[in-house]
Amino acid sequence: MIPVTLPFLPPKEDYDILLHGIWKRQWLTNMGPLASELEMSLKEYLNVNHILFVTNGTIALQMAIKALDLKGEIITTPFTYVATTSSIVWENCRPVFVDIDQKSLNIDPEKIEAAITAKTSAILATHVYGNPCDVKAIEKIATKHKLKVIYDAAHAFGVQVNGTSIFNFGDISTCSLHATKLFHSGEGGLVITKDSKLLKEMAHIRNFGHDGPEKFYNLGINGKNSEFHAAMGLANFNFIQAIHDKRKLLTDRYDEKLRNFKAIKPLWHKDSKPNYAYYPIVFENEELLLKCIDFLKANEIFGRRYFYPSLPSSLPYIETKPLKWANDISKRVFCLPLYFNLTVEEVDLICRLLLRVQNN
Ligand SMILES: *Cc1c(COP(=O)(O)O)cnc(C)c1O
């Protein structure tokens, strides 16, 4: 059986050594030494100003919205994971959906301005599949209309634009360290910002708003993560390069073997260094996609229609009309299996099966 993804696991001994320290210290959570070490290591590796290790990527989004004190309407993308949208609603704001660009599959900056109203407070965009949004165009619009910008960078760990981390764009970027993501801590998330005031807000928000044991600084939540999760992150940290290299090898193999397959890959930001988090392809039509899914399934191979169906129309708490490209692309897009332990031979098999469907 070949699933769409499998989590990377470090050698068990590496994790055991870190567990040994946890047992010795008896410090299990609340910004323990491993959580701090993970933050320091990631800050240095990613070359970003401020980073907080939090419970998960969803809490990270909610903390970002809270820290920026957003109200009213938030312009966002319909082509993302549900957490992007639900966080907006959970924080009592209204998501306003702007269609995606049919080539990059990211929010189309040219359509943002038409959606801005007097109630708009921010833009919350997703770097879909780790492909950077047009961050320059979005920054220009945000500056002109005095809007805040949050990037849901859950897919974008390690991605660079013009030689700098993708996390350096917008007021706040968030990331997910969930087990299915490229770099993970089992469950986990990150908030990243250049602004030390926002860091202070979010550091307090993460810890119930506590300012010492008897005082409170702001409205907080429990956004902390545990030493066990930090240990998983630290054990995986040593393999980031190996994970990257293996995924690049598999991605290049797919590219080569699918040269003659009639599906296209999203158009990548031209000044970016990718992270090979996913292998999405957009089919010419849904019919061929469904045939391929069935044939792969018959051979015990499982990709994922990611993202399908298009978000707003599938959410019972949102009333909105489907948007043209998000709706159309979500019917035709498919992510092929991609994970550290996948072999080149398995990629070859997947590609052979896809080509057989097409050429039948
Ligand atoms: C995974 C994901 C999230 C949520 O992250 P969790 O850590 O699972 O809470 C948010 N946005 C996107 C785009 C994601 O893929």
Side-chain angles (χ1 to χ4, degrees):
M1 203 267 274
I2 304 177
V4 65
T5 191
L6 273 179
F8 176 83
L9 279 168
K12 181 135 184 307
E13 308 83 75
D14 294 13
Y15 193 62
D16 285 342
I17 292 167
L18 294 166
L19 287 188
H20 188 69
I22 298 177
W23 254 255
K24 256 197 349 217
R25 288 185 296 273
Q26 301 182 33
W27 187 350
L28 308 189
T29 185
N30 287 5
M31 288 77 77
L34 296 182
S36 302
E37 188 185 334
L38 181 62
E39 285 177 345
M40 292 298 290
S41 304
L42 290 175
K43 193 172 107 124
E44 197 171 311
Y45 173 77
L46 299 163
N47 204 4
V48 294
N49 291 58
H50 306 295
I51 199 163
L52 293 173
F53 178 48
V54 301
T55 324
N56 55 57
T58 307
I59 276 286
L61 283 164
Q62 290 176 216
M63 287 174 56
I65 295 169
K66 192 69 91 191
L68 289 165
D69 196 22
L70 301 182
K71 302 269 188 298
E73 298 173 356
I74 299 179
I75 289 175
T76 191
T77 173
F79 194 71
T80 182
Y81 184 59
V82 63
T84 320
T85 307
S86 65
S87 303
I88 295 173
V89 177
W90 200 269
E91 292 301 324
N92 286 318
C93 296
R94 196 167 85 81
V96 173
F97 297 94
V98 165
D99 205 3
I100 55 172
D101 173 79
Q102 59 163 314
K103 293 211 174 91
S104 73
L105 313 191
N106 284 322
I107 194 166
D108 186 345
E110 287 186 12
K111 299 197 177 117
I112 290 178
E113 279 200 285
I116 296 174
T117 72
K119 290 187 196 148
T120 310
S121 60
I123 300 165
L124 170 42
T126 302
H127 302 301
V128 179
Y129 309 123
N131 181 21
C133 292
D134 188 343
V135 286
K136 269 200 197 133
I138 291 173
E139 186 175 300
K140 231 169 132 182
I141 297 164
T143 309
K144 182 173 160 197
H145 296 272
K146 299 200 169 57
L147 303 177
K148 302 292 182 189
V149 178
I150 300 172
Y151 285 112
D152 181 345
H155 297 173
F157 185 91
V159 170
Q160 296 197 340
V161 174
N162 292 319
T164 178
S165 170
I166 187 69
F167 295 156
N168 282 325
F169 295 89
D171 295 280
I172 299 173
S173 287
T174 65
C175 190
S176 166
L177 304 187
H178 184 259
T180 54
K181 303 299 205 275
L182 182 78
F183 168 70
H184 77 88
S185 61
E187 288 275 4
L190 302 170
V191 290
I192 303 102
T193 184
K194 284 198 260 196
D195 185 334
S196 49
K197 263 176 38 208
L198 287 174
L199 172 75
K200 188 175 173 190
E201 286 295 324
M202 292 192 289
H204 286 87
I205 287 172
R206 175 173 68 170
N207 190 28
F208 306 98
H210 266 296
D211 182 15
E214 294 168 5
K215 265 172 61 193
F216 294 91
Y217 175 79
N218 58 9
L219 173 62
I221 195 165
N222 184 357
K224 296 176 275 104
N225 209 332
S226 80
E227 289 290 278
F228 301 95
H229 293 89
M232 181 58 80
L234 283 168
N236 286 339
F237 185 77
N238 300 320
F239 293 90
I240 289 177
Q241 192 59 42
I243 291 170
H244 176 273
D245 292 349
K246 179 65 186 286
R247 284 171 171 271
K248 180 174 187 322
L249 176 84
L250 297 170
T251 298
D252 289 347
R253 190 72 174 191
Y254 269 128
D255 285 349
E256 184 196 327
K257 295 284 165 175
L258 292 179
R259 258 187 344 264
N260 297 319
F261 189 69
K262 287 196 212 109
I264 47 168
K265 299 217 308 178
L267 181 66
W268 235 253
H269 189 296
K270 67 179 188 338
D271 302 313
S272 71
K273 184 176 152 292
N275 66 355
Y276 311 103
Y278 300 88
Y279 197 91
I281 49 175
V282 180
F283 284 71
E284 276 185 348
N285 55 63
E286 191 178 18
E287 194 192 337
L288 181 59
L289 164 65
L290 294 175
K291 272 193 199 153
C292 284
I293 290 178
D294 283 349
F295 196 53
L296 289 177
K297 253 192 210 155
N299 287 276
E300 302 246 296
I301 296 167
F302 302 89
R304 184 169 174 204
R305 301 186 76 179
Y306 194 59
F307 305 102
Y308 173 84
S310 181
L311 255 193
S313 37
S314 60
L315 301 176
Y317 49 86
I318 299 277
E319 266 178 55
T320 174
K321 295 189 289 286
L323 290 161
K324 183 177 170 209
W325 289 116
N327 206 40
D328 174 50
I329 300 280
S330 62
K331 286 187 187 134
R332 297 190 282 129
V333 73
F334 191 62
C335 285
L336 294 174
L338 185 62
Y339 49 90
F340 184 79
N341 285 326
L342 188 70
T343 65
V344 168
E345 291 71 28
E346 287 171 323
V347 169
D348 290 355
L349 169 66
I350 294 165
C351 297
R352 269 204 311 280
L353 296 173
L354 288 173
L355 285 161
R356 203 181 300 167
V357 177
Q358 171 182 287
N359 299 331
N360 246 341

